[in-house]
CSV table of all heavy atoms in Angstrom, one decimal:
chain,number,residue,atom,x,y,z
R,65,GLY,N,35.3,18.5,25.9
R,65,GLY,CA,35.7,17.1,25.9
R,65,GLY,C,36.0,16.6,24.5
R,65,GLY,O,35.9,15.4,24.3
R,66,THR,N,36.2,17.5,23.5
R,66,THR,CA,36.6,17.1,22.2
R,66,THR,C,37.9,17.6,21.8
R,66,THR,O,38.4,18.5,22.4
R,66,THR,CB,35.5,17.6,21.2
R,66,THR,OG1,35.4,19.0,21.3
R,66,THR,CG2,34.1,17.0,21.5
R,67,ASP,N,38.6,17.0,20.8
R,67,ASP,CA,39.9,17.4,20.4
R,67,ASP,C,39.9,18.8,19.7
R,67,ASP,O,40.9,19.5,19.8
R,67,ASP,CB,40.5,16.4,19.4
R,67,ASP,CG,40.9,15.1,20.2
R,67,ASP,OD1,41.1,15.2,21.4
R,67,ASP,OD2,41.0,14.1,19.5
R,68,SER,N,38.8,19.1,19.0
R,68,SER,CA,38.7,20.5,18.4
R,68,SER,C,37.3,20.9,18.5
R,68,SER,O,36.4,20.1,18.9
R,68,SER,CB,39.1,20.4,16.9
R,68,SER,OG,38.3,19.6,16.2
R,69,CYS,N,37.0,22.2,18.2
R,69,CYS,CA,35.6,22.7,18.4
R,69,CYS,C,34.7,22.0,17.4
R,69,CYS,O,35.0,22.0,16.2
R,69,CYS,CB,35.6,24.2,18.2
R,69,CYS,SG,34.0,24.9,18.3
R,70,ARG,N,33.7,21.4,17.8
R,70,ARG,CA,32.7,20.7,17.0
R,70,ARG,C,31.5,21.5,16.6
R,70,ARG,O,30.6,21.0,16.0
R,70,ARG,CB,32.3,19.4,17.7
R,70,ARG,CG,33.4,18.5,18.1
R,70,ARG,CD,34.5,18.2,17.1
R,70,ARG,NE,34.0,17.7,15.8
R,70,ARG,CZ,34.6,17.7,14.7
R,70,ARG,NH1,35.8,18.2,14.6
R,70,ARG,NH2,34.1,17.3,13.6
R,71,ALA,N,31.5,22.8,17.0
R,71,ALA,CA,30.4,23.7,16.6
R,71,ALA,C,30.6,24.3,15.3
R,71,ALA,O,31.7,24.7,14.9
R,71,ALA,CB,30.2,24.8,17.7
R,72,ALA,N,29.5,24.5,14.5
R,72,ALA,CA,29.6,25.3,13.3
R,72,ALA,C,29.2,26.7,13.7
R,72,ALA,O,28.3,26.9,14.6
R,72,ALA,CB,28.6,24.8,12.3
R,73,HIS,N,29.8,27.7,13.2
R,73,HIS,CA,29.6,29.1,13.6
R,73,HIS,C,29.1,29.9,12.4
R,73,HIS,O,29.7,29.8,11.3
R,73,HIS,CB,30.8,29.7,14.2
R,73,HIS,CG,31.3,29.0,15.4
R,73,HIS,ND1,30.7,29.0,16.6
R,73,HIS,CD2,32.3,28.1,15.6
R,73,HIS,CE1,31.3,28.3,17.5
R,73,HIS,NE2,32.3,27.7,16.9
R,74,THR,N,28.1,30.7,12.6
R,74,THR,CA,27.7,31.8,11.6
R,74,THR,C,27.5,33.0,12.5
R,74,THR,O,26.7,33.1,13.4
R,74,THR,CB,26.4,31.4,11.0
R,74,THR,OG1,26.5,30.1,10.4
R,74,THR,CG2,26.0,32.4,9.9
R,75,GLY,N,28.4,34.0,12.2
R,75,GLY,CA,28.3,35.2,13.1
R,75,GLY,C,29.0,36.4,12.6
R,75,GLY,O,29.3,36.5,11.4
R,76,TYR,N,29.2,37.3,13.5
R,76,TYR,CA,29.7,38.7,13.2
R,76,TYR,C,30.7,39.1,14.2
R,76,TYR,O,30.4,38.9,15.4
R,76,TYR,CB,28.5,39.7,13.2
R,76,TYR,CG,28.9,41.1,13.0
R,76,TYR,CD1,29.2,41.6,11.8
R,76,TYR,CD2,28.9,42.0,14.1
R,76,TYR,CE1,29.6,42.9,11.6
R,76,TYR,CE2,29.3,43.3,14.0
R,76,TYR,CZ,29.6,43.8,12.7
R,76,TYR,OH,30.0,45.1,12.5
R,77,MET,N,31.8,39.5,13.8
R,77,MET,CA,32.9,39.9,14.7
R,77,MET,C,32.7,41.4,15.1
R,77,MET,O,32.8,42.3,14.2
R,77,MET,CB,34.3,39.7,14.1
R,77,MET,CG,35.4,39.9,15.0
R,77,MET,SD,35.4,38.6,16.3
R,77,MET,CE,35.7,37.1,15.3
R,78,VAL,N,32.4,41.7,16.3
R,78,VAL,CA,32.1,43.1,16.8
R,78,VAL,C,33.4,43.8,17.0
R,78,VAL,O,33.6,45.0,16.6
R,78,VAL,CB,31.3,43.0,18.1
R,78,VAL,CG1,31.0,44.5,18.6
R,78,VAL,CG2,29.9,42.3,17.8
Side-chain angles (χ1 to χ4, degrees):
T66 58
D67 288 336
S68 60
C69 180
R70 304 314 306 162
H73 302 285
T74 305
Y76 175 77
M77 192 66 63
V78 177

